[in-house]
Structure formats: structure tokens, C-alpha cells
Amino acid sequence: MCIVFIYRNPDADSQSYRLIVASNRDEHFKRPALLAHYWENHPECLGGTDMEVGKEGGTWFALSIKGKAGVVLNLPNEEGLINSPKTGRGYLICNFIISNDSAISYLNKLHKENKNNQPYNSYALILIDLHNADVHCLSSSVKSQGPFTSPDTLFGFSNSNFDTPLKKVEEGKKKFRNIVNNTKVSKQAELIEELLKFLKSEERYLPDPELQRRCPTKYEELSSVFISGKEYCTRTHSLLLINGNNEITFVEETLMPDLTWKRQIFNNNLICDNK
């Protein structure tokens, strides 16, 4: 299970944020991964990467300072899909942020592939244009009508289809809205701490029929924003902040093998040559 919340304000000025993204990656504790870093072969790209055998180099959340970002979520027990070994969905983000494709054209190609043979493990994919904060979405569900772009200012997504959000998403959006509403760039340090505290919330949101349907044996322990467990748990918190001056702040907190949390903060600027 993973979860992501997004705030967008395309008209942001120098004192406000165009984009705020807060995400948790939930994963098996022993699954190998690299901490967030600039990628050797694509130094404009930033994010953690999977090191699981056969899925090396995939990612759950990454960005390119050229103006792209992506988050991928799995869809457990998705109706109509066979759980057979397929291509790791982590490559969906990598392939997008290193490409010259727009989000719309990339998602249209994926949707066409999905209708033919479902080449990837089931997913919900969220792609973000960092220049204008447009949010584009696609589910690999057999019921998917294709990619869509929403004009909403606030979003929440987890491990369900877009039209059947989990209860922790709906309730989490309310708390996320209270944190980001009217926040100013001058208060960024406080914002980061508030968002990380939010991502560490263990409050359970039950009952949740959709979560219970997808995870019938573990739905209770998966009903909070933060998943606490010995074998499967929240492994990584990620924050992406972009202000009206095109300044990027990327924060990652990762649970280390000794059970301490390691925080990294990356600062950069959007490349706007093509805009």
C-alpha cells in the first residue's frame, strides 16, 4: 500500500507554492532499494530506486528538473486482472521522466497497451507537469476509460481506482488541506515538519469496504496513512515543493535497517528553456 496527496496552484507567485506533494511508500522491510539520488545516466532525474532482482532501477516516485514527476500505486486484487508475473510498474515513471513525451501522449500509449495485453502489474499512475501543476491520471483497470486530467486543486490517491477512494484518502485529504491552505514559502521549514507529522499518522479509518475487499486479511492494519509493522510498513516519506519562482525542494525520509529515519533534502531549479 502507498498513498499520495497533491495540492496544485497554477497561479502561484513567489511567496506561494505551485505544487505540494506528500507521499508514503509502503513496502516489505527487506526489499532492497536505494535512497533518493540524482540518477547517474540521467542526472536531471531525482528519486529513490528499486533494487529488487528483475526490477532494478524502477521507482515509486521520481522527478526530472526538466518539468516532470510521477507516482505509481499498485491495485491489489484488481477485478478482471490475473496476478501473473509481469513487467514491474516502477519502470512506468522512469520511462516517462526521461522521455520527450507529454503526459497525455504517454498515458494514451499506455492505455492502448492495457486494452491489448496488460503488460504491467496492475497500477494507478499519476503524472505531474511541474511547470503548470497539471495532474494526469491513468488506471490499468479493465474498467478504465483512459487517461484524465482534473482541474481540482487538491487530490488524494492510494491503492484503489480513482472513483472508489479509500476512506483514509478521503479523511486524509481534509487534514492535508488544512496544512497546505494559504501556506507561504517563508514558512517552508514549518510546512515540512507538519507534512511529515501528517504522513506519520497511525489513525485508522474504518470501516472501509473497498479496502476490506482488496485486502481482506490485513485491511485493519492498512487503514492508516502510516503503516506500522515488522515485515511490511511505511518505508519512505517523500515531499515535493515547487514555488512560483520555479524553485524545487525535495525531501525524503527513509526507514534505515537500524530502524532510525534518515532525512535528505535536495534543492534545485526547474529548467524552463522549453517553456
Side-chain angles (χ1 to χ4, degrees):
M1 307 298 283
C2 297
I3 197 166
V4 59
F5 299 92
I6 303 171
Y7 164 79
R8 59 183 296 272
N9 174 20
D11 300 319
D13 58 23
S14 61
Q15 297 303 311
S16 58
Y17 290 100
R18 178 187 306 137
L19 188 70
I20 300 174
V21 183
S23 176
N24 274 349
R25 178 196 184 220
D26 307 325
E27 188 51 85
H28 292 284
F29 183 69
K30 293 184 178 181
R31 182 165 179 165
L34 294 180
L35 303 181
H37 61 283
Y38 288 101
W39 300 351
E40 181 177 358
N41 294 330
H42 298 279
E44 74 281 4
C45 297
L46 171 63
T49 50
D50 197 356
M51 293 300 291
E52 180 88 349
V53 175
K55 299 178 181 178
E56 298 95 335
T59 187
W60 52 94
F61 180 13
L63 65 97
S64 166
I65 62 172
K66 292 182 177 180
K68 297 178 173 183
V71 180
V72 68
L73 307 160
N74 73 321
L75 296 176
N77 291 329
E78 179 59 22
E79 294 178 324
L81 297 182
I82 299 174
N83 291 323
S84 59
K86 296 181 180 180
T87 303
R89 57 190 148 247
Y91 298 120
L92 292 167
I93 299 173
C94 303
N95 293 341
F96 170 64
I97 65 174
I98 67 174
S99 75
N100 293 320
D101 290 342
S102 68
I104 291 296
S105 64
Y106 185 79
L107 292 180
N108 279 331
K109 286 190 288 187
L110 287 178
H111 183 55
K112 185 177 180 180
E113 289 182 357
N114 291 339
K115 290 193 294 184
N116 291 332
N117 62 1
Q118 293 283 344
Y120 293 90
N121 294 322
S122 59
Y123 64 83
L125 181 62
I126 300 95
L127 302 182
I128 309 170
D129 186 321
L130 305 185
H131 294 286
N132 58 23
D134 282 351
V135 176
H136 310 273
C137 307
L138 176 68
S139 165
S140 66
S141 168
V142 295
K143 299 177 182 179
S144 173
Q145 298 299 306
F148 68 91
T149 303
S150 172
D152 292 350
T153 59
L154 194 140
F155 303 85
F157 305 106
S158 188
N159 306 95
S160 66
N161 284 313
F162 300 120
D163 58 351
T164 53
L166 302 184
K167 189 171 183 179
K168 65 179 179 180
V169 170
E170 291 298 276
E171 295 302 316
K173 283 169 62 178
K174 298 174 185 177
K175 296 185 176 182
F176 181 66
R177 185 186 301 275
N178 289 336
I179 295 172
V180 303
N181 192 37
N182 297 319
T183 189
K184 297 297 181 182
V185 172
S186 60
K187 300 292 186 180
Q188 179 163 290
E190 292 91 335
L191 174 63
I192 289 172
E193 296 306 322
E194 285 191 71
L195 289 171
L196 289 173
K197 181 179 178 181
F198 164 65
L199 291 175
K200 294 179 184 293
S201 172
E202 296 185 47
E203 181 178 356
R204 293 185 174 185
Y205 297 101
L206 294 168
D208 186 341
E210 176 63 14
L211 180 58
Q212 186 172 355
R213 182 186 71 79
R214 289 184 177 273
C215 305
T217 62
K218 297 183 177 181
Y219 70 93
E220 291 184 342
E221 62 197 75
L222 299 176
S223 63
S224 53
V225 171
F226 181 93
I227 308 302
S228 179
K230 292 183 178 180
E231 296 182 1
Y232 184 90
C233 58
T234 296
R235 291 268 307 273
T236 307
H237 309 305
S238 301
L239 304 177
L240 173 59
L241 312 175
I242 301 179
N243 63 34
N245 282 339
N246 292 316
E247 296 169 334
I248 302 169
T249 300
F250 185 80
V251 182
E252 182 187 85
E253 271 200 0
T254 302
L255 183 61
M256 305 302 289
D258 63 359
L259 301 182
T260 61
W261 289 87
K262 179 177 180 178
R263 183 182 300 188
Q264 299 186 95
I265 300 179
F266 301 83
N267 295 290
N268 215 316
N269 293 281
L270 277 179
I271 297 174
C272 302
D273 293 348
N274 296 325
K275 290 291 176 178

